[in-house]
């Protein structure tokens, strides 16, 4: 677990402890795996391995962003061992395919929704030093701002090109406005475009399980694709690979059985009135024979709820970044085998605390082992990330930790990041 005092990144693998102080173990060993985002679709032949999860930054589409290889992360989905993939896509083709289903009892009229929403949905093509691929997005303002996933655009974040294909087939260059690896969201902008169709924004708070929804985007690079389904569940917490070997956390994610595949990442999940309720981000896959995994939709997809996505989008437009509260602590997970060897508890080894910061003020020191945060076992940095993206400066966090074999409890008051 680590917050803004340490580097964040997209790979989904957990950093290893580094030379801990004598007061605690020096954890080493393989980093735990975790869920992966469903990212952009790589340009080129469709890969035979796992599909990218969210970021579009690698060259191999397997549970990673729009084309970079990411680690598979295990998602606890009911009784099945499912793997979360970035909803990326393959084959940045020029064919426009619209899969429409007629309205029926208990389902959206997908023809009507497609007619209303598709003009605001775009295919995003990305190329950069770390790879190339394609994903999806939606126009959220008439002056050209487009909301998508961070993993879709991350290959071009440090130098590269972004272009957007609109539903009528015309293309335009785009620039990066800002991105937030913690929530896997990003905003890009096209200029000199007139009469852009803007997606209507709904209310994800009003969603109920079983409600029909429609997903729109560019799976496998197939622009203007529409699929329909229902809200399968609400309030999921899903970690997906992000920048710098860290995870993004989809907090309160919407689970849907509307077909979502690589390339759908960043696209819209809408209600039957065509209003945005979520940003499609990740999909689950299941293990197969000989270690092979399915790479397409198995009816378990995840979307960032509109109530979280739109405020972050506006903050990115206003400032280019998103600020989060900090605990002022840098910590890394202790592998279970290492904890057993040293006879200490599983948890997060505190490598450093910010002088005069919240953790230091609460009595936490380097070498301590944090065992729980707000009652949740602290076995992953995802626990802290989830606290950050759902909290405000001034919020109090209950922390249990171990020092010299003794258990302690303290309260950390989060500060401005």
């Amino acid at each position: 677990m680590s917050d803004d005092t340490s580097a964040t990144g997209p790979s989904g693998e957990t950093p290893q402890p580094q030379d801990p102080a004598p007061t605690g173990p020096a954890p080493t060993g393989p980093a735990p795996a975790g869920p992966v985002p469903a990212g952009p679709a790589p340009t080129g032949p469709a890969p035979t391995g796992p599909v990218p999860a969210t970021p579009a930054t690698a060259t191999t589409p397997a549970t990673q962003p729009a084309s970079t290889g990411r680690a598979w992360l295990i998602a606890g989905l009911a009784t099945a061992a499912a793997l979360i993939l970035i909803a990326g896509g393959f084959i940045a083709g020029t064919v426009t395919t619209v899969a429409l289903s007629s309205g029926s009892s208990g389902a959206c009229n997908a023809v009507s929704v497609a007619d209303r929403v598709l003009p605001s949905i775009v295919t995003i093509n990305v190329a950069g030093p770390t790879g190339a691929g394609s994903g999806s997005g939606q126009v959220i303002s008439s002056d050209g701002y487009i909301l998508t996933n961070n993993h879709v655009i991350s290959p071009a974040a440090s130098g590269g090109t972004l272009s957007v294909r609109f539903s009528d087939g015309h293309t335009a260059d785009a620039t990066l406005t800002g991105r937030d690896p913690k929530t896997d969201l990003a905003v890009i902008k096209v200029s000199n475009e007139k009469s852009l169709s803007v997606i209507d924004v709904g209310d994800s708070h009003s969603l109920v399980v079983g409600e029909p929804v429609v997903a729109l985007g560019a799976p496998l690079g197939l622009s203007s694709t529409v699929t329909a389904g229902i809200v399968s569940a609400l309030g999921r917490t899903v970690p997906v690979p992000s920048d710098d070997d860290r995870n993004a956390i989809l907090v309160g994610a919407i689970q849907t059985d509307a077909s979502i595949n690589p390339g759908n990442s960043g696209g819209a999940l809408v209600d039957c009135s065509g209003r945005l309720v979520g940003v499609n981000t990740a999909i689950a896959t299941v293990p197969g024979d000989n270690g092979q995994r399915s790479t397409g939709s198995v009816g378990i997809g995840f979307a960032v709820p509109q109530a979280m996505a739109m405020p972050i989008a506006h903050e990115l437009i206003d400032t280019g970044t998103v600020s989060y509260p900090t605990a002022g602590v840098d910590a890394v997970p202790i592998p279970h085998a290492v904890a057993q060897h040293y006879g200490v508890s599983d948890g997060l080894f505190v490598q450093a605390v910010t002088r005069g910061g919240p953790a230091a003020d609460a009595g936490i020191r380097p070498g301590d082992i944090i065992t729980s945060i707000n009652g949740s076992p602290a076995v992953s940095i995802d626990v802290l990330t989830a606290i950050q993206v759902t909290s405000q400066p001034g919020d109090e966090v209950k922390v249990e930790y171990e020092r010299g074999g003794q258990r302690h409890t303290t309260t950390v008051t989060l500060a401005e990041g």
Side-chain angles (χ1 to χ4, degrees):
M1 159 181 130
S2 159
D3 68 7
D4 289 336
T5 60
S6 56
T8 58
S11 79
E13 296 178 332
T14 310
Q16 303 302 308
Q18 303 171 355
D19 299 315
T23 55
T28 57
V36 182
T43 57
T48 55
V51 179
T54 43
T57 58
T59 55
T60 327
T63 67
Q64 52 206 29
S67 70
T68 45
R70 300 290 184 196
W72 291 86
L73 305 181
I74 301 298
L77 301 174
T79 58
L83 297 174
I84 303 300
L85 307 182
I86 315 172
F90 309 114
I91 313 168
T94 57
V95 178
T96 297
T97 302
V98 182
L100 301 179
S101 63
S102 59
S104 60
S105 176
C108 293
N109 182 333
V111 173
S112 174
V113 171
D115 183 64
R116 177 171 184 157
V117 181
L118 278 178
S120 64
I121 304 299
V122 302
T123 301
I124 302 171
N125 292 303
V126 185
T130 58
S134 68
S136 307
Q138 47 269 309
V139 179
I140 58 172
S141 72
S142 58
D143 52 349
Y145 287 107
I146 294 168
L147 174 61
T148 185
N149 283 135
N150 172 64
H151 75 258
V152 170
I153 57 81
S154 60
S158 58
T161 60
L162 297 168
S163 65
V164 170
R165 176 184 295 274
F166 293 90
S167 63
D168 63 3
H170 87 278
T171 62
D173 292 335
T175 56
L176 176 61
T177 298
R179 65 195 189 108
D180 180 33
K182 277 185 167 56
T183 55
D184 198 16
L185 294 169
V187 173
I188 63 175
K189 189 178 189 299
V190 293
S191 302
N192 304 317
E193 290 289 322
K194 298 180 179 179
S195 303
L196 289 178
S197 179
V198 177
I199 195 165
D200 290 331
V201 178
D203 179 11
S204 56
H205 288 309
S206 67
L207 291 175
V208 295
V209 174
E211 177 177 347
V213 287
V214 173
L216 305 96
L220 308 184
L222 298 172
S223 299
S224 301
T225 294
V226 180
T227 57
I230 62 169
V231 173
S232 302
L234 295 166
R236 298 296 196 198
T237 297
V238 183
V240 294
S242 184
D243 294 351
D244 302 329
D245 296 332
R246 298 293 183 86
N247 284 343
I249 303 294
L250 311 187
V251 177
I254 303 163
Q255 182 181 326
T256 180
D257 68 347
S259 183
I260 297 174
N261 287 286
N264 270 121
S265 280
L269 186 71
V270 302
D271 61 20
C272 289
S273 296
R275 297 172 300 189
L276 180 70
V277 292
V279 177
N280 299 320
T281 299
I283 58 177
T285 188
V286 293
D289 295 333
N290 301 318
Q292 295 298 311
R293 295 179 174 87
S294 61
T295 57
S297 172
V298 294
I300 302 175
F302 302 95
V304 178
Q306 156 274 329
M308 172 171 281
M310 289 306 295
I312 289 174
H314 290 308
E315 189 169 354
L316 290 172
I317 292 170
D318 292 341
T319 68
T321 60
V322 178
S323 61
Y324 291 104
T326 179
V329 62
D330 184 2
V332 291
I334 301 173
H336 181 65
V338 174
Q340 285 188 317
H341 177 77
Y342 284 95
V344 298
S345 298
D346 291 330
L348 299 168
F349 182 81
V350 177
Q351 298 187 122
V353 295
T354 303
R355 186 185 299 275
D361 289 347
I364 295 174
R365 304 173 188 170
D368 290 345
I369 299 171
I370 296 174
T371 56
S372 77
I373 301 173
N374 278 352
S376 297
V379 294
S380 166
I381 59 173
D382 295 345
V383 179
L384 179 60
T385 302
I387 291 291
Q388 287 182 299
V389 300
T390 58
S391 302
Q392 300 294 325
D395 287 353
E396 295 184 343
V397 178
K398 182 180 179 182
V399 176
E400 296 181 12
Y401 64 97
E402 183 178 289
R403 177 186 299 159
Q406 299 297 312
R407 292 295 185 101
H408 304 273
T409 300
T410 189
T411 299
V412 176
T413 302
L414 302 178
E416 292 278 357

